[in-house]
Each structure stands twice: as C-alpha cells, then as structure tokens.
Amino acid sequence: MASVTQQQIQKFHEDGFLVLENFFTAEECDSMRNQIGRIVAEMEVPPHCRTEFSTKEEEQLQAQGSSDYFLTSGDKIRFFFEKGVLDERGNFLIPKEKSISKIGHALHAYDPIFKQITHSTKVQELGRKLGLERPVVVQSMYIFKQPGIGGEVTPHQDATFLHTEPLGRILGFWIALEDATRENGCLWFIPGSHTGGISRRMVRAASGSSTCVEFVGSEPAYDDSQFIPLPINKGGLILIHGEVVHKSELNSSESSRHAFTFHVMEAKDTSWSKENWLQPTPELPFPSLY
C-alpha cells in the first residue's frame, strides 16, 4: 500500500472522508471473512430471540432482554440479526449465515485476526500521519449487508452515537471486505458536512424507562441530491470523520457487501460522554491503538 500523502490528509479535512484503495490485501480481507465464518458457525442464538410472545409483560421482558443484550455488547462479541429471519422460537427461517446483520462490538479486542488488523502497522502509521497522539479503539463491528435483505442505514453522523467533549475526536475506519458498489449498498457522503456540529445524540435512558436509549435533539432533513456515492474495491479503506453525514442504501443485489469497521478516539484532552450507550468496562478499558 502506498503511503498516504499530506495532500490526501488535506482532502480528508476538507471533505470529512477519504478513500484509500488497496489499503489491505485480498489475503487480509479473506482472513477476516474466513474468521467470521468460523465465529458464525459456532454462534448460539441469544435467549431474547427465542421467547414466544404471549402477554404484554413477556413482550416487555423480551424488549428489555434485547436492549440489555445491545447495551452490554461493548466488551463482547455479539450477534444482531436482520428483521424477520427468526421465528418466535428462535429458529432460523433462512440459513443462519445469511441472517446476520452485524457482529459487535469488541472483535478488535477479543478476536486475534481482527485485533491484528486493527492494530496493524499500516493503521498505526495512518493514525500517526493524521496526528493522533493517544488514539484508543472504542468499538468495532463486522457488517454483512446481506443480499436482498441488507437494510438501509439512514443518514447519520457517528458522533450522534459516540459523543465526545470536544467534538472532532472520533474517527471511523471502514474496510471493504468485498467490492462495495452502488448496487450492493456502498456508502454515500455529503462532502464537507462535518463542520457544523451534531444535531442529535443517542443517550442512555434513565433507569426504569421502557427503552434503553433515547434520542435528544432532532435529525435534520438532508437533501438527497447532496450525497455522493463512494464505491470501493475489496481491500479499500474509507476514513470517516465522526461528524460527516453518511448513509447506505438497501442491498437489492444478489451479492453481499461485507465490511469491517472500527472507531478510534483521540483520548488526549478528550472526555468520553457518560451518556453514550457504549462505555469502557473494567474488563475492557478502551485499548490504545499504539
């Protein structure tokens, strides 16, 4: 992989994103896909996916189980499914490897292959080029974007979910493990949309409320015509500023669009919001990138 130039870094600061083709090799991508295949093969369906609805109370318990499963996934490897792929007994209606939406949120910490990729010398070198002094990894996800059912991701800013004081300290690394095309749901961005702050936040709800998280503020109506698609080849990396507006469409094609993504925070002179859904734990303080 060619070294990143100052010109490219300048472009990142202007646009809020940067496309780096061929950042990882085909072999590195395949090692991640093979590893995820093994993880899925051993997967147990989470208990909250198995309840049969009968009373309101049991539905609430299931919703609570589902939200606890999500809220406590920051330091674990957990499974999240597309809608409608499991029956009420938790049996798969389609092959299980085709049913998963994503796996999160600590692959970077607990899986040797993903840990190695996250802390690879090229990622570290890129972090240094970007001037990161004390970068820590806050979370990671493997995203499947399944053929035909891989749901759309509506326009959002990552800092809505990962809030820091001050803003501007969150950076996403998004790795295409297969070609990402307009047909199978590549990312779309509004260039330059990272300079106006954030308009809403997802925060932990007060204990005892019916939901685990709630949104504060409102999502502006984005102008569709401002988004530009960023198709990228297998092995390519997209750097994503924490406040840039981006989205992806439904995957209506017959090919999946696997990606591995992780978020890094510059920890120097930064405070992580206590209201974020994701919190470091005694078992897993945010690990240093280098």
Side-chain angles (χ1 to χ4, degrees):
M1 162 223 136
S3 200
V4 179
T5 65
Q6 275 313 119
Q7 219 173 349
Q8 286 173 303
I9 287 172
Q10 187 53 42
K11 185 120 178 73
F12 170 71
H13 291 304
E14 285 166 21
D15 291 340
F17 58 84
L18 179 64
V19 176
L20 298 169
E21 288 281 12
N22 304 315
F23 193 87
F24 289 98
T25 64
E27 291 71 37
E28 287 170 315
C29 293
D30 294 341
S31 74
M32 288 186 263
R33 290 202 57 183
N34 294 336
Q35 186 69 350
I36 224 71
R38 287 193 281 273
I39 290 171
V40 171
E42 291 166 16
M43 164 184 81
E44 295 286 324
V45 175
H48 71 265
C49 296
R50 296 183 180 281
T51 346
E52 288 191 60
F53 294 136
S54 43
T55 67
K56 264 277 174 275
E57 201 173 315
E58 280 160 331
E59 279 189 42
Q60 278 171 341
L61 279 173
Q62 175 169 32
Q64 191 54 48
S66 172
S67 66
D68 290 345
Y69 185 78
F70 167 70
L71 274 187
T72 56
S73 67
D75 62 352
K76 300 180 189 66
I77 295 176
R78 290 203 160 161
F79 304 95
F80 301 90
F81 300 92
E82 289 291 357
K83 289 186 178 64
V85 299
L86 292 158
D87 67 17
E88 61 274 13
R89 293 191 180 82
N91 298 321
F92 289 103
L93 300 167
I94 59 174
K96 71 175 180 179
E97 64 281 359
K98 293 259 191 289
S99 67
I100 300 195
S101 157
K102 60 187 188 189
I103 297 180
H105 287 93
L107 284 162
H108 63 279
Y110 295 127
D111 181 88
I113 300 280
F114 290 97
K115 187 174 188 172
Q116 192 188 334
I117 292 285
T118 304
H119 296 272
S120 58
T121 46
K122 10 187 192 199
V123 169
Q124 294 175 336
E125 193 183 303
L126 181 52
R128 291 199 173 93
K129 279 255 165 79
L130 289 159
L132 300 177
E133 291 183 60
R134 281 186 36 219
V136 296
V137 187
V138 297
Q139 64 123 355
S140 57
M141 272 191 304
Y142 191 103
I143 304 168
F144 293 81
K145 200 73 152 172
Q146 302 282 6
I149 58 169
E152 69 167 333
V153 177
T154 54
H156 67 283
Q157 298 166 290
D158 292 343
T160 284
F161 308 98
L162 309 171
H163 191 268
T164 60
E165 204 63 57
L167 285 171
R169 301 301 169 88
I170 291 288
L171 183 60
F173 290 72
W174 192 95
I175 305 159
L177 304 184
E178 302 179 276
D179 294 350
T181 64
R182 287 182 66 153
E183 291 66 48
N184 73 2
C186 70
L187 299 181
W188 295 65
F189 288 79
I190 300 181
S193 57
H194 60 303
T195 56
I198 57 168
S199 56
R200 67 174 189 152
R201 290 181 56 187
M202 184 173 93
V203 298
R204 283 179 173 245
S207 59
S209 36
S210 56
T211 57
C212 62
V213 293
E214 55 197 14
F215 285 95
V216 178
S218 59
E219 194 58 89
Y222 295 111
D223 175 359
D224 262 357
S225 68
Q226 292 188 301
F227 284 92
I228 61 161
L230 292 192
I232 187 166
N233 295 312
K234 174 178 174 172
L237 170 74
I238 301 179
L239 268 186
I240 304 174
H241 186 287
E243 284 112 78
V244 73
V245 178
H246 57 292
K247 65 173 184 176
S248 68
E249 308 284 349
L250 175 80
N251 179 1
S252 50
S253 80
E254 290 175 16
S255 53
S256 56
R257 190 223 68 189
H258 288 205
F260 175 57
T261 174
F262 59 91
H263 283 90
V264 164
M265 170 177 74
E266 168 62 275
K268 185 173 188 267
D269 303 328
T270 307
S271 63
W272 177 256
S273 172
K274 292 272 185 284
E275 295 190 304
N276 284 336
W277 77 265
L278 175 78
Q279 294 297 327
T281 62
E283 295 74 35
L284 183 62
F286 294 150
S288 181
L289 185 65
Y290 29 81

